Amino acid sequence: MKALRNFLDKVKPNFEEGGKLSAFRSVFDGFETFLFVPNTVSKSGAHIHDTIDSKRVMSFVVIALIPALLFGMYNVGYQNFLAAGHGNESAIEMFAYGFLAVLPKIIVSYLVGLGIEFTVAQWKNEEIQEGFLVSGMLIPLIVPIECPLWIIAVATAFAVIFAKEIFGGTGYNIFNVALITRAFLFFAYPTKMSGDQVWISKESIFGLGYDLSNNTVDGFTGATALGQVATGTTTNVVNAIGESVSLQDMIIGLLPGSIGETSVIAIMIGAVILLWTGVANWRTMISVFVGGACTAFLFNAIGSESNQVWNLDWMEHLAVGGFCFGAVFMATDPVTSPRTNCGKYIFGFLIGVVAIVIRCMNPGYPEGMMLAILLMNLFAALIDYVFVQRNINKRLNRVK
Amino acid sequence: MAESIKIKKGLDIKLKGKAEDTKEDALQSQFFSMRPDDFHGMTPKVAVKEGDAVKVGSVLFCDKANPELKVVSPCSGTVVAVNRGERRKVLDIRLESDGKFESVPFEKAEPSQLKSDDVKKRLLECGFFAFINQRPYDVVANPNDAPKAIFISGFDSAPLAPSYDYVFGYDQCVEDLQRGVDALAKLTSGKVYVSTHKDSASRAFKELKNVSLYEFEGPHPAGNVGVQIHHISPINKGEIVWTISPYDVLAIGKAFGKGSIDFSRLIALVGSSVEKPKYYKTYPGAEIASVVKGQVKEENVRYISGNPLTGTQVGKDGFIGAFAHQITVIPEGNKNNEFLGWIMPRLSKFSTSRSYFSWLLGDKEYVADTNVNGGKRAFIMSGEYDAVFPMDVLPEFLVKAIMDKDIDKMEQLGIYEVAPEDFALCEYVCTSKIETQKIVREGLDFLRKELA
């Protein structure tokens, strides 16, 4: 470590103002603070500080995403093999296929996003902020596997610039950056983001997996669970080769869907990490589930002849689609949620409600989680306003 | 029977280097320094010049706006220098002690028998009044105000703080404190409130008469007088309360009892870099070296006059602050070069975050250095401040209102109730490393100037 420190100290002058490489000052600073905790000491106020910092907070979100990511990779392989009628190959082979299919998306998302962040940091002469570490991992996990890389690149650039940097960077954004990426994709390239053609990887990669263009088994369907229910005549959901699936299968998550969203178990491992470390707020997370469950239950109770989504059991509603992933990783983003504790209950609850309402009432979008969270992001400040005003009124009433 | 109030929010940071219950006299301090900056809110008008002979209680400087508000010398000797900085701002008045601590005359009296105006005049005359603080704004009290009440916190809950059970544990103490409290009672038409800690064994505060006693329990900042005010009788707009530390109440009481002025006090030398943390009898304005000499076991350390959360950094050759009751010596964190520290388990460091393991390690005491442990960011995590801020105030929104310089919002969100020290824990736990105490200080000063 000593050698590395010495090396950094040696090259550092090049990156300082007036140095040969001063155009990369922020980048150097980013790497240096990544490798070594800066030796900054407190100058005003408290002389001691907690060891927690934003790098660690962000890293723990990324760590919490890893189970969903690994399962997602495996599932990508599994779906491809299953659709080709070869469901019995070794898990390692399926994972390797999925790994190769997903990795480019992660790389593209990080390259584009971090590239912009680094440039902006240099331009504004600021430290590089860690926010995109999380967004960059979220983006590949909430897109379909067939989504082309160049589209991801465009959408990521759009989101980082227009949803984050123009507001002032990490901590100032109104909307969740990863969800803006997805929303951009969803509305700009709807054919790449929905339907029954995009959820299962169709090529073979380096000899792994199968080319599915004319090679699928009988009864193949690439539609997601929600897609099937929205267009179907029953609430019965089938997997890629037409076998009926149960709630238990939905929780395990070997179904077509966005890369990271399918497995409730993997997401819950992440949820436990986030709640245990206190990185995500339990108030928001629980409220989303409560809101979703209540609303779905209500629709179940009313029932509908023509719209089967109303009849989808409330537990299945929570298990399929992006509900869990959104509740655990997206709704809990502290920057875009209300900052009062009471506000978080309302915010979470309404996300759950709106997500299920969109699923049930809107024929155009089988999935409502993304729009629900974005809508509530918009209202976060308003929810806070109500609770701040309550505190203010309490103080005013004290005088009377 | 004292009313009891339980504080739930807050944080006790367990640090190594708490003072043992033993005391000794500090070395003779050759030089003394009184800094106008310690008396926040005063604009100094210097009353002495180089070479003047002073006694304990001789006026060094007074406030430009209220000339009767005076700061006096803690020692007898001569004025060595009046040090000035940029734009002739008075940095400090340097005194050379003759080691005798002769006092200016102060008539012995029972304050309870005196008239209000007399008490006030005598406290102003001998400089005790400058040790009374006022809220709002957390500045030295204005003698022309009529405070609604006076608050005294009978325990210090800050990290490594002196134990008042020990400092105020001697037999005579109740009597001296009672005289001090009687004097203060003459300054307000309201009550004098004294708060003690539930587990306090000392009878010094519990046996006081003519005061309203409250019993607090819970983690730091339960001992902050601001938190106590908030729970006993919160400050509304337009109201003024005064606060004073029991150290100064004791000094007032002693002066009335003995008929001479004596600023000596028992302060704690604490911190993980101190060989044997214990108590020392010394004076405000004395040299740090007279206390720490030969006691510090490391080279690269920071000397803090006060506690590690709110104290002032002073050099090895610095002086004890006028309001300091402890000297904390902790390692500087400027040479750590910690490799990938942000992802390591860091078992030897304390954190409130459960992404570390200190919550599993129970009562372990930690060494904390002065490293900020991260880069400065915008507000990211929410609810962190609320967890350590035991008032019905929204700390994060208040800090943001101050950053915006939005006077209406500041008032509405309760800026009159807070002082920078109340935000010390917020600053400690902040993931984004925001300098909240500095922001609040600037906010209070801004507001005071705008509304004057």
Side-chain angles (χ1 to χ4, degrees):
Chain A
M1 292 318 99
K2 192 104 190 166
L4 186 62
R5 182 68 255 177
N6 289 342
F7 171 73
L8 286 176
D9 286 340
K10 208 175 106 196
V11 297
K12 196 171 186 173
N14 291 327
F15 291 96
E16 275 157 8
E17 200 111 28
K20 268 182 289 181
L21 298 167
S22 69
F24 297 97
R25 193 169 57 243
S26 284
V27 180
F28 176 80
D29 184 65
F31 280 108
E32 192 193 5
T33 57
F34 176 85
L35 288 171
F36 292 98
V37 177
N39 285 329
T40 332
V41 291
S42 60
K43 290 197 185 64
S44 83
H47 299 272
I48 53 177
H49 283 82
D50 200 298
T51 34
I52 190 75
D53 74 335
S54 64
K55 277 196 180 54
R56 191 173 181 92
V57 168
M58 301 297 176
S59 313
F60 267 81
V61 185
V62 175
I63 290 170
L65 280 166
I66 287 174
L69 173 72
L70 295 181
F71 185 89
M73 287 173 167
Y74 172 73
N75 189 38
V76 165
Y78 179 84
Q79 296 303 330
N80 175 278
F81 284 52
L82 186 68
H86 297 263
N88 298 321
E89 262 94 349
S90 77
I92 295 172
E93 212 171 313
M94 294 184 193
F95 179 80
Y97 175 84
F99 178 79
L100 292 173
V102 175
L103 191 64
K105 292 189 167 51
I106 301 176
I107 294 173
V108 165
S109 141
Y110 271 123
L111 271 185
V112 174
L114 288 181
I116 295 170
E117 290 255 335
F118 278 33
T119 315
V120 172
Q122 177 70 39
W123 176 48
K124 285 163 72 178
N125 208 357
E126 280 177 355
E127 264 185 66
I128 289 166
Q129 310 195 334
E130 298 83 3
F132 195 79
L133 285 183
V134 174
S135 310
M137 186 57 94
L138 285 170
I139 291 167
L141 293 182
I142 53 173
V143 296
I145 185 67
E146 280 290 270
C147 189
L149 294 178
W150 69 271
I151 294 184
I152 295 181
V154 171
T156 304
F158 173 84
V160 172
I161 295 170
F162 290 100
K164 186 156 138 191
E165 295 305 342
I166 61 164
F167 286 98
T170 304
Y172 298 108
N173 47 315
I174 297 174
F175 297 106
N176 186 302
V177 179
L179 278 178
I180 290 289
T181 312
R182 194 177 197 279
F184 181 84
L185 289 171
F186 190 78
F187 291 108
Y189 305 98
T191 55
K192 310 280 187 207
M193 285 300 289
S194 51
D196 52 9
Q197 293 303 312
V198 297
W199 308 103
I200 294 174
S201 178
K202 294 202 174 58
E203 301 101 36
S204 82
I205 304 168
F206 297 137
L208 279 170
Y210 299 90
D211 185 352
L212 299 183
S213 44
N214 43 22
N215 194 17
T216 50
V217 292
D218 293 342
F220 169 77
T221 168
T224 61
L226 281 170
Q228 292 173 35
V229 177
T231 52
T233 51
T234 63
T235 58
N236 195 24
V237 176
V238 295
N239 68 3
I241 54 169
E243 293 168 350
S244 196
V245 297
S246 63
L247 176 64
Q248 197 187 334
D249 298 326
M250 293 172 182
I251 289 172
I252 294 168
L254 289 171
L255 293 173
S258 294
I259 295 166
E261 73 175 19
T262 59
S263 171
V264 177
I265 293 174
I267 293 166
M268 284 308 146
I269 295 172
V272 168
I273 296 174
L274 288 181
L275 293 180
W276 191 259
T277 55
V279 169
N281 196 294
W282 60 269
R283 293 178 181 87
T284 322
M285 212 186 278
I286 304 275
S287 309
V288 180
F289 283 108
V290 172
C294 291
T295 318
F297 189 77
L298 203 67
F299 277 106
N300 285 172
I302 301 167
S304 166
E305 296 269 305
S306 55
N307 188 346
Q308 292 303 324
V309 186
W310 290 41
N311 302 333
L312 187 66
D313 187 62
W314 65 273
M315 283 196 277
E316 296 184 358
H317 250 304
L318 303 192
V320 297
F323 195 91
C324 281
F325 194 86
V328 172
F329 295 110
M330 305 289 209
T332 54
D333 173 2
V335 174
T336 55
S337 344
R339 305 194 67 87
T340 50
N341 282 337
C342 299
K344 290 190 175 95
Y345 291 114
I346 310 278
F347 173 78
F349 188 83
L350 288 178
I351 286 178
V353 171
V354 174
I356 302 294
V357 167
I358 294 176
R359 279 183 184 182
C360 292
M361 311 282 282
N362 189 317
Y365 314 130
E367 175 56 293
M369 201 58 186
M370 170 184 83
L371 293 172
I373 297 174
L374 287 175
L375 183 71
M376 292 316 296
N377 282 170
L378 188 61
F379 284 108
L382 186 65
I383 296 171
D384 268 346
Y385 177 83
V386 173
F387 289 102
V388 171
Q389 208 55 42
R390 208 172 66 165
N391 182 278
I392 291 172
N393 288 339
K394 229 195 283 179
R395 190 162 295 109
L396 287 176
N397 289 335
R398 210 163 64 192
V399 187
K400 282 171 195 163
Chain B
M1 190 54 210
E3 235 179 288
S4 55
I5 293 171
K6 192 170 179 177
I7 304 278
K8 291 204 185 88
K9 293 171 172 181
L11 171 68
D12 283 324
I13 307 167
K14 296 184 188 75
L15 297 181
K16 257 188 199 148
K18 215 171 163 49
E20 274 174 49
D21 284 356
T22 52
K23 60 180 168 189
E24 61 181 64
D25 285 349
L27 302 172
Q28 184 82 251
S29 172
Q30 192 191 351
F31 292 103
F32 281 76
S33 157
M34 288 309 266
R35 296 182 339 124
D37 274 359
D38 282 348
F39 299 87
H40 199 89
M42 272 178 90
T43 317
K45 193 174 161 207
V46 181
V48 288
K49 58 181 187 300
E50 219 179 295
D52 281 2
V54 292
K55 287 184 173 172
V56 179
S58 307
V59 180
L60 297 180
F61 58 89
C62 60
D63 185 37
K64 256 197 186 126
N66 281 311
E68 70 267 40
L69 187 59
K70 293 158 186 158
V71 172
V72 300
S73 164
C75 67
S76 59
T78 45
V79 177
V80 183
V82 177
N83 294 317
R84 289 175 185 271
E86 271 173 54
R87 297 168 70 193
R88 294 189 48 77
K89 182 190 166 187
V90 183
L91 299 180
D92 78 331
I93 294 179
R94 199 64 62 89
L95 311 160
E96 185 167 5
S97 163
D98 59 10
K100 290 183 192 138
F101 295 97
E102 263 174 66
S103 160
V104 297
F106 188 91
E107 206 181 313
K108 218 164 154 175
E110 274 310 321
S112 51
Q113 317 285 329
L114 295 174
K115 279 202 213 106
S116 285
D117 287 344
D118 270 355
V119 173
K120 189 186 264 187
K121 207 172 137 223
R122 296 186 59 174
L123 291 183
L124 282 164
E125 229 22 77
C126 60
F128 286 124
F129 202 95
F131 287 87
I132 302 176
N133 259 301
Q134 76 156 50
R135 297 222 180 174
Y137 307 128
D138 190 38
V139 291
V140 174
N142 179 344
N144 303 323
D145 287 334
K148 120 175 147 164
I150 295 177
F151 289 84
I152 302 164
S153 171
F155 65 104
D156 192 341
S157 54
L160 299 175
S163 153
Y164 284 10
D165 280 0
Y166 183 70
V167 175
F168 299 96
Y170 67 98
D171 288 341
Q172 266 277 302
C173 193
V174 187
E175 227 172 274
D176 290 338
L177 277 174
Q178 185 64 54
R179 272 199 201 95
V181 166
D182 287 343
L184 291 170
K186 297 279 176 185
L187 302 179
T188 172
S189 52
K191 288 183 189 167
V192 176
Y193 293 92
V194 176
S195 320
T196 58
H197 194 269
K198 188 171 161 278
D199 300 331
S200 159
S202 141
R203 58 192 192 91
F205 299 103
K206 290 180 179 164
E207 290 180 6
L208 288 176
K209 292 179 196 74
N210 302 327
V211 296
S212 273
L213 265 183
Y214 280 79
E215 229 179 44
F216 279 79
E217 68 173 303
H220 185 57
N224 276 13
V225 70
V227 171
Q228 296 166 358
I229 297 170
H230 181 87
H231 287 273
I232 295 169
S233 165
I235 307 165
N236 298 308
K237 190 183 174 180
E239 292 176 342
I240 287 173
V241 306
W242 287 352
T243 67
I244 183 169
S245 144
Y247 277 86
D248 305 314
V249 179
L250 190 65
I252 295 173
K254 273 184 183 168
F256 277 106
K258 280 201 283 187
S260 68
I261 301 165
D262 176 11
F263 285 102
S264 71
R265 57 194 182 191
L266 214 51
I267 67 150
L269 173 62
V270 294
S272 56
S273 305
V274 175
E275 204 84 58
K276 277 211 178 81
K278 55 176 176 270
Y279 294 86
Y280 289 85
K281 185 184 167 225
T282 182
Y283 299 81
E287 290 167 297
I288 293 276
S290 68
V291 175
V292 302
K293 203 167 184 187
Q295 295 292 327
V296 178
K297 53 188 176 191
E298 285 161 286
E299 272 296 309
N300 188 24
V301 294
R302 177 178 292 200
Y303 297 89
I304 301 161
S305 156
N307 72 57
L309 287 176
T310 61
T312 321
Q313 181 181 2
V314 289
K316 198 177 178 178
D317 48 2
F319 296 86
I320 302 168
F323 289 86
H325 307 134
Q326 70 188 92
I327 297 171
T328 313
V329 190
I330 53 173
E332 279 285 8
N334 57 355
K335 289 181 186 160
N336 294 0
N337 288 327
E338 200 183 359
F339 182 66
L340 296 181
W342 50 277
I343 198 66
M344 294 297 178
R346 281 177 165 170
L347 289 174
S348 62
K349 292 190 175 181
F350 177 76
S351 175
T352 50
S353 165
R354 284 216 185 175
S355 64
Y356 293 98
F357 299 98
S358 38
W359 60 278
L360 279 173
L361 300 175
D363 273 345
K364 187 180 166 181
E365 289 181 335
Y366 295 84
V367 174
D369 63 32
T370 62
N371 196 295
V372 182
N373 296 315
K376 202 175 164 187
R377 299 287 180 269
F379 281 106
I380 295 173
M381 301 300 284
S382 59
E384 284 184 321
Y385 291 7
D386 297 284
V388 293
F389 201 88
M391 298 193 204
D392 192 12
V393 169
L394 298 167
E396 194 190 309
F397 287 90
L398 180 53
V399 169
K400 283 180 179 169
I402 296 172
M403 287 167 147
D404 290 346
K405 292 205 161 43
D406 182 341
I407 293 181
D408 289 344
K409 257 280 147 58
M410 290 187 220
E411 283 187 344
Q412 290 171 343
L413 289 168
I415 195 167
Y416 296 126
E417 300 178 45
V418 301
E421 62 168 12
D422 298 325
F423 285 82
L425 276 174
C426 300
E427 189 169 343
Y428 175 80
V429 299
C430 186
T431 303
S432 300
K433 313 294 175 191
I434 292 167
E435 295 174 310
T436 40
Q437 288 190 83
K438 192 174 161 196
I439 293 168
V440 172
R441 177 78 269 168
E442 284 167 2
L444 290 169
D445 291 348
F446 168 75
L447 203 61
R448 184 163 178 247
K449 210 172 124 206
E450 290 294 310
L451 301 183

